[in-house]
Structure formats: C-alpha cells, structure tokens
C-alpha cells in the first residue's frame, strides 16, 4: 500500500464524473495537512468566493493511516464561509480508515449537483444518488436513512449535513458516524453549497502489512504506550471533561459570555459530575485503542405515567464549556439536551454556544430584544437555548441568519462588538491569558490545538515576547507534521519525533523519516502561503475588548503585552508565508 505518489479520487458533481489521479509530492507534502494544501493549490481558486461551484472540498489522510494506532484523523480543507479564506477542519470517526481501505489518499469534490445528492465512493465504485427527500431533514434522520440506502459495515464512513449546512450557516459542521465532526469554519455549508447532503466512503479493500519483526514490534510498543502508560489514560478516564474543574480553579473557564472566569456553580458540570450522572459508555475512532469519546444520555417523558425514552449524546470539554458555563447552564442533563439539538441541526457546538452567549448579553444590554432573538434568552435557561439553537440552524429570521455568519457579523449590524468572544472565530474554552488569546486569534485554524498557547499560559507567568513567539512558531511546526500524519493530537506524547521516524521507516517511507524537520517546515510555510493567498492578514486581526477585561490566575490581562505578542506573531506568520521552496 505504500507508494511514492498520492492516489486521489476527484469527483465533479456538476457532471457526475470521477477520475483517479496520481500526484507527485509524497516526500515533501507527506499527507494530511500537507496533501490538503497541495490539493487546494491545484484545484482551488483563491480569488473566487467560497461557494463558487469550482471550489474544492478536500479530504486527505496520511502515510501511517491503517498501519499504526491513533493515525485516525482526516483533514478536511476548503475555502471557508466564515472568512472566505483557506481553512482546515479535522475529524476522526471511521473516515480515515475508510479512505485508506478505499485505496485513496484523498478525495476531492468540485462542482455543484443540480439537486440534493449523496455521493458514495469506494475502491472501484462511484455513485451519486438523488436524495431530495432528505433536504431539510436533521442529521440523525439523514444518517439513519443513508445507512439503510448504502448498506455495508466495516470501514464505512457516513458524512452528512443538517439544516445548518443547507442554509449555508458559517457554523455548520459535517457530522460523521454518530459522534464526530468536521466542526469549525463551516465545512457543512460547503457541502450545502454543492447540494451535497451526504458522502459515503466504503473501504472494502485490504493491504499487506510489512514483513519481518520490526513493524510488529514497533506497533506493539506504540500500542502499549497508548494503553498501558499514563500518557493517554486521562482521555479514557474522565476524558477532556476533567478540564472543567481544572480551568475553573485556574480562573480560566469562560462563564456567561466571559463575564467571569470561575464560578462556584462549576460543581454542577465537572467531569466527575458528568460521569456520575450521565455516562453510559466510551467509544473510539477507528484505529484508536484509547476511546476518549464519552457517551452520556438524556431522557424524556413521552407519556404519563412514567413512560420515558432515552437518547445518547457524546460530551467533551469543549461542548460542555460552550453549552454549559458559557451559557450559565449548570445541570448535566440540561447541557446534554442543548448539545443534542446542536447535533440534530448540524451546527458546530463551540461556535453556536459562544454566539448565543453574546446574544444573551446583547439582550441584557438592550442592544437586541426578543423581537430579534424570538425567545427570551437568559443565562442559565436551558429551554430558551434549545429553541435558539433550532433558530440558528434553521436561519429563522434575519437576526439568526446574520448571527450564523459569525458573532462579529451580527455585532457589526446591531452593535456589541466589544463583548463578542471572537478570536479569529468564536473562542475555544481557554481564558488562560495573553498567549492563548494571541495563539487562537492568529492560529492557522483559529483552534486551541494549532499550538499549545493555552498550556503555555498555565505554566508561565513571565512576559518574554521573543520566547513566546518562538514557542508558538516551533510548536506549530511540530503539530503540522502530526496533522500531516493525521495523528490524533491527543497522542502527541506517544508520537514524539523519534517514534514517528521509526514508524515511517518501518513501513518503507524512508525519505520522509530522514527529512521530518524540513518537511514539517515546508508544510507549515505552504499552509500559511495558501491562507495568505486567499486573503488572510494576520496584522489586521483585532481582539475584542471583553478579553482585555479578563482576570486569570496570572492577574488581569496585560493589554500592552497582548498587543506586542500579537504584532510579533503576525510578523513571523507573514515571514513563514514567504518563499515556499
Ligand atoms: S483519543 Fe479520542 S479523538 Fe483521538 S483517536 Fe482516540 S477516540 Fe478519537
């Protein structure tokens, strides 16, 4: 299965035709993030808008997918409806292994279907089916229907959108399997703009593993590190939800639209509380022995007396922050209930929660009223948020359609930009300090996982601009190699440089193993060059006033330090975007 080129399936929805293409570049672009950037540069149009039918929607995997544990992500790449620039979004589930067992390194979809369709691809098949009857249906119904329409188990991945994607909401995600997402920056709207309700990837082939002892021994070593050491045990145990309590203690957990960073009410929504009250089971992405996905339940009385139905909802730190503390909702079941509606609508949970927190404060301040929000939003009132999430997904009126393009877009129209919790996109749940604020605002994906800025804040009080910017640039460089391998970033302790080099070597990617540093620097530069070519100006990014009013464990945010960090990091990003070899 290893090859010195990339095997890419391109599909044009306008003509219903596909083509398998061989592309050079394995030794420089590796896969994942690097391959996605290569493909956008080949098929993308920097100067056309994100919803132009010619724009590609790209899914790319890495050279170690199928060979080693936790190489389980797929990199989605597209021009984003959020900022009309090049963007990446990552998801796990079964998508990566399904592509590997369909004998593909990437899938590129261009064009626009005449009406709503589902695309099914595999090693030897391509099928496009009319699914007009699914347009307007939620993510759950769509998933269930597509499972029946495209039978087959094993490495089969089902990607689909809900009403939010159809309505081209910039918070629309692509849901896959039942509990995973290409969450941020609006990949769901890109599918919506292509009239693409679903994608089924059937991984029906197989491939031989390397002979000899080196590969199986190394596999066992990696597997043991992931399962029998404490490197990843926290992810299986309470999961990322354990961060709720920890960040609240550090005065770094955003509460009620970041009007506070800690609150005694945290005891209602800690990781322990979720586990004690709601946890049913853990799940894992394909090829992952860790299983960090925590599944809780909600139940609903549908008939008197005592007739209940229950549904399963996955939870993590980020969704709990967004629909819990950020909205002042402090009951585990109420939080899960909001998350469930978010899932059905096909919305990104972080963006939705943060946007609705802004809308709530906008009501409090009299900037908007119930006339716009259609429900009387109040911090802590889960029922009103359930309604508001539906309106956001459906784009019920002008207010929700505007809010669904980004909180700052709504604030431009109604006012209230100073308390919009936006750092390049709606904030992640880490009010840890100046380094995180800089890192998310300017980071490539505007994700807390672009770099470890949130972690740096938790360990350092000093204000050394050069040291911080060096850290951000070099940390991004190492993470870019991991996302080009499509490793789960939770496994970054397991997959240190030496381990990655051994893994690549053991399956036959010797040139990549020997040049990891140069390759990761090249991909880092290529991604920035691609982003800048589509309009990104890091110098133009501003940080709303609300963030400068925050007090963390380090004390009040230092505005001068923040400004200097931001402008120095912007300079380094622009340098990175120059001169890609
Ligand atoms: S640790 Fe979690 S997110 Fe990462 S691959 Fe495993 S199940 Fe998926």
């Amino acid at each position: 299965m290893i090859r010195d080129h990339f095997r890419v399936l391109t599909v044009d929805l306008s003509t219903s035709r596909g083509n398998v293409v061989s592309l050079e570049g394995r030794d420089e672009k590796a896969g994942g993030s690097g391959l996605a950037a290569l493909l956008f540069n080949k098929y993308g149009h920097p100067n056309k808008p994100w919803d132009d039918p010619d724009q590609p929607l790209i899914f790319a995997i890495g050279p170690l997918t199928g060979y080693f544990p936790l190489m389980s992500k797929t990199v989605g790449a597209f021009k984003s409806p959020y900022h009309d620039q090049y963007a990446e979004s990552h998801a796990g589930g079964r998508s990566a292994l399904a592509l590997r067992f369909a004998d593909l390194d990437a899938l590129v979809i261009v064009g626009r279907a005449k009406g709503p369709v589902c695309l099914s691809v595999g090693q030897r098949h391509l099928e496009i089916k009319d699914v007009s009857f699914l347009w307007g249906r939620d993510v759950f119904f769509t998933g269930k229907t597509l499972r029946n329409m495209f039978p087959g188990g094993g490495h089969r991945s089902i990607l689909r959108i809900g009403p939010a994607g159809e309505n081209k909401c910039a918070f629309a995600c692509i849901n896959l399997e039942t509990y995973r997402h290409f969450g941020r920056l609006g990949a769901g709207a890109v599918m919506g703009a292509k009239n693409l309700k679903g994608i089924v990837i059937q991984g029906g082939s197989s491939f031989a593993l390397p002979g000899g002892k080196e590969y199986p021994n190394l596999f066992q070593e990696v597997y043991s590190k992931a399962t029998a050491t404490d490197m990843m045990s926290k992810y299986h145990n309470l999961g990322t939800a354990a961060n709720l309590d920890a960040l609240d203690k550090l005065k770094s957990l955003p509460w009620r639209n970041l009007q506070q960073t800690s609150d005694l009410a945290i005891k209602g929504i800690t990781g322990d509380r979720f586990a004690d009250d709601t946890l049913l089971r853990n799940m894992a992405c394909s090829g992952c022995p860790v299983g960090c996905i925590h599944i809780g339940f909600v139940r609903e009385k549908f008939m008197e007396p005592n007739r209940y139905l229950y549904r399963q909802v996955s939870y993590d730190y980020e969704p709990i922050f967004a629909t819990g503390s950020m909205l002042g909702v402090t009951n585990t079941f109420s939080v899960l209930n909001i998350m469930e509606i978010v899932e059905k609508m096909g919305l990104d949970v972080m963006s939705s929660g943060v946007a609705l927190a802004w809308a709530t404060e906008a009501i409090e301040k009299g900037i908007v009223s119930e006339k716009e929000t259609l429900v009387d939003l109040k911090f802590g009132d889960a029922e009103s948020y359930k309604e508001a999430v539906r309106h956001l997904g459906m784009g019920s009126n002008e207010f929700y359609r505007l809010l669904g393009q980004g909180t700052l877009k709504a604030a431009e129209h109604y006012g209230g930009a100073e308390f919009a919790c936006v750092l390049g996109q709606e904030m992640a749940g880490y009010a840890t300090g100046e380094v995180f604020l800089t890192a998310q605002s300017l980071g490539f994906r505007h994700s807390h996982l672009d770099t470890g800025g949130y972690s740096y804040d938790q360990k350092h009080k000093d204000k050394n601009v050069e040291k911080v910017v060096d850290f951000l640039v070099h940390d991004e460089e190492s993470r870019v190699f991991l996302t080009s391998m499509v490793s789960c970033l939770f496994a970054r302790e397991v997959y240190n440089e030496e381990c990655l080099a051994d893994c690549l070597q053991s399956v036959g990617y010797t040139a990549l193993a020997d040049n990891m540093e140069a390759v990761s620097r090249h991909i880092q530069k290529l991604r920035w060059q691609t982003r800048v070519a589509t309009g990104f100006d890091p110098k133009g990014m501003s940080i709303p006033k609300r963030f400068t009013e925050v007090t963390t464990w380090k004390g009040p945010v230092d505005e001068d330090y923040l400004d200097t960090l931001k402008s120095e990091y912007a300079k380094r990003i622009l340098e990175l975007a120059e001169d890609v070899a």
Side-chain angles (χ1 to χ4, degrees):
M1 181 66 81
I2 81 152
R3 45 187 163 233
D4 59 3
H5 60 276
F6 297 112
R7 188 171 187 270
V8 179
L9 173 62
T10 63
V11 178
D12 186 341
L13 293 172
S14 302
T15 60
S16 303
R17 299 186 77 86
N19 198 14
V20 174
V21 181
S22 293
L23 272 185
E24 298 302 316
R26 172 68 84 182
D27 292 344
E28 302 84 46
K29 311 293 188 283
S33 291
L35 173 55
L38 171 75
L39 291 168
F40 188 83
N41 279 288
K42 183 171 169 62
Y43 295 101
H45 303 270
N47 300 318
K48 288 187 182 180
W50 70 271
D51 57 350
D52 188 289
D54 291 343
Q55 295 290 13
L57 174 59
I58 296 162
F59 300 101
I61 60 168
L64 297 174
T65 304
Y67 286 104
F68 284 96
L70 288 136
M71 293 294 172
S72 47
K73 298 285 176 177
T74 300
V75 172
F78 48 93
K79 209 169 181 225
S80 163
Y82 192 89
H83 49 40
D84 205 24
Q85 295 162 16
Y86 179 62
E88 272 183 22
S89 181
H90 303 171
R94 288 191 293 272
S95 56
L97 285 195
L99 280 167
R100 167 58 71 237
F101 286 100
D103 199 17
L104 294 170
D105 295 302
L107 169 65
V108 178
I109 303 165
V110 297
R112 178 184 292 148
K114 287 190 184 73
V117 295
C118 179
L119 165 69
S120 169
V121 298
Q123 191 190 14
R124 289 199 186 81
H125 89 272
L126 190 164
E127 189 182 8
I128 297 174
K129 274 193 183 168
D130 179 349
V131 292
S132 308
F133 60 95
L134 285 177
W135 206 248
R137 301 307 297 257
D138 71 38
V139 166
F140 296 171
F141 182 86
T142 303
K144 203 162 135 192
T145 308
L146 294 181
R147 272 195 292 280
N148 291 330
M149 281 178 73
F150 297 91
H155 299 298
R156 179 190 59 168
S157 186
I158 299 184
L159 288 63
R160 69 274 191 188
I161 57 169
E166 297 171 9
N167 295 325
K168 303 191 185 74
C169 171
F171 299 158
C173 63
I174 302 174
N175 295 53
L176 59 165
E177 294 29 293
T178 310
Y179 302 114
R180 299 285 91 185
H181 319 86
F182 291 96
R184 309 206 85 191
L185 294 171
V190 178
M191 277 182 65
K194 293 188 174 304
N195 279 330
L196 186 57
K197 182 72 176 173
I199 303 168
V200 179
I201 305 166
Q202 313 252 18
S205 72
S206 61
F207 60 94
L209 295 171
K213 286 192 178 150
E214 187 192 351
Y215 167 75
N217 288 345
L218 189 56
F219 182 98
Q220 191 54 48
E221 197 185 305
V222 172
Y223 184 89
S224 300
K225 277 205 273 179
T227 54
T229 69
D230 58 6
M231 283 180 182
M232 298 203 69
S233 54
K234 67 176 178 188
Y235 295 108
H236 179 76
N237 184 13
L238 285 181
T240 54
N243 293 344
L244 268 299
D245 201 23
L247 283 160
D248 190 77
K249 281 199 176 83
L250 278 175
K251 294 198 174 78
S252 297
L253 180 65
W255 282 89
R256 300 177 189 85
N257 202 39
L258 197 55
Q259 295 182 79
Q260 293 161 248
T261 48
S262 70
D263 193 303
L264 290 174
I266 184 65
K267 59 182 185 305
I269 51 169
T270 61
D272 285 302
R273 189 78 271 148
F274 269 88
D276 290 347
D277 291 356
T278 77
L279 182 60
L280 290 174
R281 63 197 169 99
N282 284 42
M283 276 185 68
C285 301
S286 289
C288 170
V290 175
C292 79
I293 307 168
H294 287 64
I295 311 294
F297 73 96
V298 291
R299 64 175 199 161
E300 197 178 295
K301 187 181 250 184
F302 66 93
M303 197 190 284
E304 291 291 354
N306 298 319
R307 288 286 175 273
Y308 290 94
L309 58 84
Y310 82 96
R311 290 181 297 271
Q312 303 184 41
V313 184
S314 75
Y315 65 81
D316 256 315
Y317 170 70
E318 300 289 357
I320 300 173
F321 132 74
T323 56
S325 64
M326 197 63 171
L327 298 179
V329 177
T330 55
N331 171 280
T332 50
F333 291 109
S334 301
V335 170
L336 290 180
N337 269 303
I338 301 171
M339 283 183 205
E340 197 203 13
I341 314 284
V342 170
E343 291 278 320
K344 276 187 170 172
M345 288 291 114
L347 283 161
D348 171 53
V349 66
M350 267 195 269
S351 309
S352 304
V354 174
L356 291 177
W358 172 85
T360 311
E361 193 172 335
I363 282 202
E364 280 182 350
K365 290 188 157 55
I367 287 172
V368 297
S369 68
E370 202 176 328
K371 186 167 143 272
E372 282 85 24
T373 59
L374 305 176
V375 277
D376 185 16
L377 297 175
K378 283 195 186 78
F379 287 119
D381 179 2
E383 289 307 309
S384 69
Y385 289 123
K386 281 161 65 179
E387 274 307 298
V389 167
R390 278 195 195 91
H391 290 309
L392 190 60
M394 301 304 292
S396 297
N397 64 6
E398 195 200 342
F399 173 78
Y400 283 103
R401 284 192 291 277
L402 211 46
L403 189 61
Q405 295 309 305
T407 307
L408 282 177
K409 294 263 167 55
E412 257 171 45
H413 186 81
Y414 297 100
E418 67 281 6
F419 57 88
C421 294
V422 175
L423 297 165
Q425 66 176 328
E426 281 58 23
M427 77 177 297
Y430 301 84
T432 50
E434 298 87 349
V435 181
F436 167 73
L437 299 177
T438 305
Q440 195 194 328
S441 299
L442 274 64
F444 184 82
R445 289 192 284 144
H446 303 299
S447 161
H448 68 285
L449 287 171
D450 282 324
T451 60
Y454 60 99
S455 163
Y456 192 99
D457 272 329
Q458 293 175 48
K459 294 176 193 145
H460 300 82
K461 254 190 170 174
D462 58 287
K463 296 177 183 173
N464 185 329
V465 173
E466 203 183 318
K467 199 168 114 192
V468 170
V469 174
D470 273 349
F471 165 78
L472 293 176
V473 170
H474 291 124
D475 197 41
E476 187 207 15
E477 187 187 313
S478 67
R479 286 173 186 237
V480 128
F481 197 78
L482 280 171
T483 62
S484 296
M485 297 293 107
V486 301
S487 162
C488 173
L489 286 174
F490 293 164
R492 52 192 184 274
E493 246 189 280
V494 174
Y495 285 115
N496 58 27
E497 271 177 42
E498 195 189 336
C499 179
L500 280 174
D502 289 345
C503 291
L504 286 165
Q505 186 79 47
S506 74
V507 298
Y509 286 115
T510 308
L512 269 177
D514 291 345
N515 286 308
M516 282 170 39
E517 205 181 314
V519 170
S520 50
R521 202 170 314 121
H522 172 69
I523 297 170
Q524 183 186 28
K525 287 166 85 61
L526 179 67
R527 285 204 319 172
W528 280 121
Q529 187 192 51
T530 309
R531 179 84 197 273
V532 168
T534 54
F536 181 54
D537 174 14
K539 286 187 173 160
M541 297 302 288
S542 62
I543 294 183
K545 187 161 175 281
R546 171 57 44 87
F547 294 101
T548 64
E549 297 162 350
V550 166
T551 295
T552 74
W553 73 281
K554 297 194 287 186
V557 163
D558 178 338
E559 260 186 275
D560 292 338
Y561 175 49
L562 179 61
D563 279 349
T564 318
L565 271 185
K566 206 159 61 68
S567 72
E568 289 305 308
Y569 190 33
K571 263 191 230 159
R572 292 287 287 276
I573 287 171
L574 289 172
E575 281 165 25
L576 283 167
E578 286 170 0
D579 305 328
V580 179

